[in-house]
Amino acid sequence: MNKCNPFVIQGYKGKTYFCDREEETTRLVDYINNQVNVTLFAFRRLGKTGLIRHVFELLKSNKKIVCIYVDILGTNNLTEFINQLATGIYNAFPPNKSLGKKIIETIQSLRPIISFDELSGNPTVTFNSARQEQQANTMGQLFAFLDQQNVNVVFAIDEFQQILTYPEKNIEALLRTQMQQLKKTTFIYCGSNQKMMHEIFNSAKRPFFASCTNLYLDFIPKEKYVLFIGKTFKRYKKTITDDAVDFICEFTMLHTFYTQYFCNRLFTKNIDKININDVKTTALEILKVQEPTFYQYRNLLTVGQWKMLKAIAKHERLYQPNAKDFITTNNLGSPSMVTRGIEALLTKEMVFYDTAVEKPYYEVYNKYLMRWLQTK
Ligand SMILES: Nc1ncnc2c1ncn2[C@@H]1O[C@H](COP(=O)(O)OP(=O)(O)O)[C@@H](O)[C@H]1O
Ligand SMILES: [Mg+2]
């Protein structure tokens, strides 16, 4: 029996450890097979990257499809973006196959510096040209080259909203133009920041408007998660009572990372018959361990923002931040102060605003912080 913790909290470890997402997987595979460009929206830590990894794993056996994944969260400008894409391409093709050799030759003909990442040992491609036309040209050549090969390419660009922070202003137009010319390449644009992603894809004045099909990733349904948790413990000859699983789902509000993390911690305790008291103890322990981080958050926010955060946590889901009742009970000052406070918390990603439901609401992002604030 596998000794590693079956509740994965980092990366993707295979379909045995992956809960549900069957419908989304089918849809995504279908889009890829039909070369439909997709935007994948969801809150942070809900499972976007996991879903892409899962789908790419399934497509691995298809020799006609090459999947390339790049995460651009760490990039700050067009040069870094292109370097990241080139690195993704460079690493996606096995260098011992003829196509891999061709790709490497093509990249090398563009004269990059190829170095090795100190930690992972993976090759990193860096182009040094400072001129924007030159950079765009490099990107165009790479895409065009890929598109001429006898394979379909799927390009997943994770944390795509990051392009809005680049100093170059025409990057969307540039990308869109190049994307349009490709015949055998499908793009998956993935992003957590709802507002920024909407700005790129749903604004009629922008280059990407109406260029992709939107896929919203929702919370995993409770019945699916309950089954997954029970089944996973059972594989290790452990049982968990229904009320204990219910408690976990409720405590973490089914926000994937927090649910996974909870079960991961619980698993390490090596209890054979898990009951409600065990999960309550685990909950308290998790909050205790995270407490120093919560105090750090407090130091990073203004007194007003912290008070606002606490008020939102207590409401769990806040529908009307400008309601008189809410403002006076929580002593938040004027409606304009509330508006500014919420704006700041949204920007800092301490709070999210869910607009994909009939009645939009605000909620504290970090479920453990939310539970901890509720006890204060
Ligand atoms: N369907 C799933 N089943 C089990 N664990 C998942 C699932 N989706 C995501 N995870 C785990 O949850 C955490 C957050 O998921 P991630 O894909 O990184 O979220 P996002 O990219 O939306 O921020 C990761 O640790 C990942 O391993
Ligand atoms: Mg991610």
Side-chain angles (χ1 to χ4, degrees):
M1 182 67 75
N2 197 336
K3 279 271 169 48
C4 76
N5 196 314
F7 294 101
V8 178
I9 49 170
Q10 201 164 43
Y12 177 77
K13 301 274 159 69
K15 58 175 188 271
T16 323
Y17 308 105
F18 198 70
C19 172
D20 184 39
R21 297 299 189 204
E22 285 167 28
E23 227 180 285
E24 295 89 343
T25 301
T26 310
R27 272 184 69 187
L28 206 48
V29 170
D30 187 55
Y31 289 142
I32 291 170
N33 286 334
N34 291 290
Q35 287 167 36
V36 175
N37 296 319
V38 188
T39 53
L40 180 59
F41 296 96
F43 296 123
R44 210 168 276 290
R45 298 183 146 182
L46 208 55
K48 294 178 296 300
T49 306
L51 176 64
I52 291 178
R53 293 276 184 206
H54 184 62
V55 166
F56 280 12
E57 185 68 25
L58 293 178
L59 295 176
K60 227 174 163 177
S61 56
N62 187 336
K63 296 285 173 264
K64 283 277 159 219
I65 297 181
V66 174
C67 299
I68 304 174
Y69 171 86
V70 287
D71 180 343
I72 62 162
L73 190 62
T75 61
N76 298 303
N77 52 48
L78 185 61
T79 310
E80 290 176 12
F81 175 79
I82 292 168
N83 288 340
Q84 201 76 344
L85 291 190
T87 302
I89 296 170
Y90 192 90
N91 286 304
F93 295 88
N96 52 348
K97 299 264 174 67
S98 68
L99 180 55
K101 280 199 187 110
K102 267 206 280 181
I103 303 271
I104 289 175
E105 273 165 30
T106 305
I107 291 179
Q108 278 170 346
S109 74
L110 300 167
R111 304 223 206 121
I113 296 168
I114 299 182
S115 50
F116 293 88
D117 185 89
E118 264 183 38
L119 288 177
S120 67
N122 292 333
T124 309
V125 180
T126 315
F127 293 106
N128 267 337
S129 169
R131 287 190 19 244
Q132 201 181 327
E133 313 87 83
Q134 182 76 39
Q135 293 166 337
N137 201 5
T138 303
M139 184 163 75
Q141 286 186 42
L142 283 175
F143 280 146
F145 176 79
L146 282 179
D147 212 47
Q148 284 156 17
Q149 308 308 317
N150 196 21
V151 284
N152 288 331
V153 174
V154 187
F155 230 115
I157 308 183
D158 208 349
E159 304 294 353
F160 188 64
Q161 77 268 338
Q162 187 65 19
I163 63 160
L164 290 185
T165 67
Y166 296 170
E168 294 88 358
K169 287 298 157 241
N170 56 349
I171 173 131
E172 284 166 64
L174 190 86
L175 260 177
R176 173 85 174 106
T177 311
Q178 302 208 342
M179 190 178 109
Q180 253 168 339
Q181 292 165 6
L182 304 175
K183 304 261 175 328
K184 287 191 294 195
T185 308
T186 311
F187 287 87
I188 302 171
Y189 299 103
C190 192
S192 309
N193 190 308
Q194 248 187 344
K195 204 170 147 206
M196 290 164 95
M197 287 294 277
H198 276 286
E199 205 176 312
I200 301 172
F201 292 99
N202 296 349
S203 153
K205 292 195 209 94
R206 311 277 284 237
F208 274 97
F209 180 66
S211 66
C212 297
T213 295
N214 294 343
L215 179 61
Y216 287 92
L217 202 60
D218 209 335
F219 294 83
I220 294 172
K222 185 176 170 191
E223 60 280 10
K224 295 266 173 68
Y225 229 138
V226 166
L227 277 177
F228 174 78
I229 294 171
K231 207 173 68 187
T232 305
F233 276 117
K234 205 168 158 207
R235 280 212 313 277
Y236 293 80
K237 312 235 172 338
K238 295 178 197 310
T239 59
I240 179 162
T241 59
D242 291 347
D243 58 345
V245 184
D246 268 348
F247 180 93
I248 298 172
C249 296
E250 166 87 28
F251 190 77
T252 62
M253 294 177 93
L254 294 167
H255 200 131
T256 319
F257 170 76
Y258 301 97
T259 312
Q260 287 292 119
Y261 184 87
F262 197 113
C263 295
N264 180 290
R265 294 296 87 206
L266 185 58
F267 185 86
T268 59
K269 299 182 138 196
N270 219 356
I271 305 165
D272 284 334
K273 295 190 166 110
I274 303 163
N275 64 33
I276 185 76
N277 292 324
D278 301 319
V279 295
K280 283 187 177 166
T281 311
T282 306
L284 285 175
E285 285 165 3
I286 290 174
L287 298 190
K288 195 76 204 151
V289 169
Q290 310 241 339
E291 198 163 54
T293 314
F294 300 154
Y295 282 125
Q296 265 175 358
Y297 289 151
R298 188 188 61 184
N299 294 339
L300 291 170
L301 299 178
T302 65
V303 174
Q305 287 162 3
W306 186 250
K307 210 154 68 167
M308 184 81 214
L309 190 67
K310 208 192 266 185
I312 298 174
K314 297 218 159 150
H315 266 250
E316 237 153 77
R317 289 193 167 166
L318 176 64
Y319 293 94
Q320 289 185 311
N322 281 318
K324 220 174 181 175
D325 227 22
F326 174 72
I327 299 176
T328 45
T329 325
N330 295 292
N331 199 9
L332 297 171
S334 65
S336 70
M337 281 161 80
V338 168
T339 307
R340 258 183 290 134
I342 288 204
E343 209 46 57
L345 293 174
L346 283 172
T347 308
K348 291 175 201 285
E349 296 200 343
M350 299 299 290
V351 162
F352 66 69
Y353 184 47
D354 191 348
T355 53
V357 289
E358 202 178 319
K359 272 175 70 188
Y361 62 88
Y362 295 91
E363 191 174 297
V364 175
Y365 231 122
N366 182 329
K367 292 290 98 77
Y368 300 141
L369 175 61
M370 182 186 95
R371 293 298 176 207
W372 181 79
L373 285 169
Q374 287 172 347
T375 66
K376 296 285 138 192

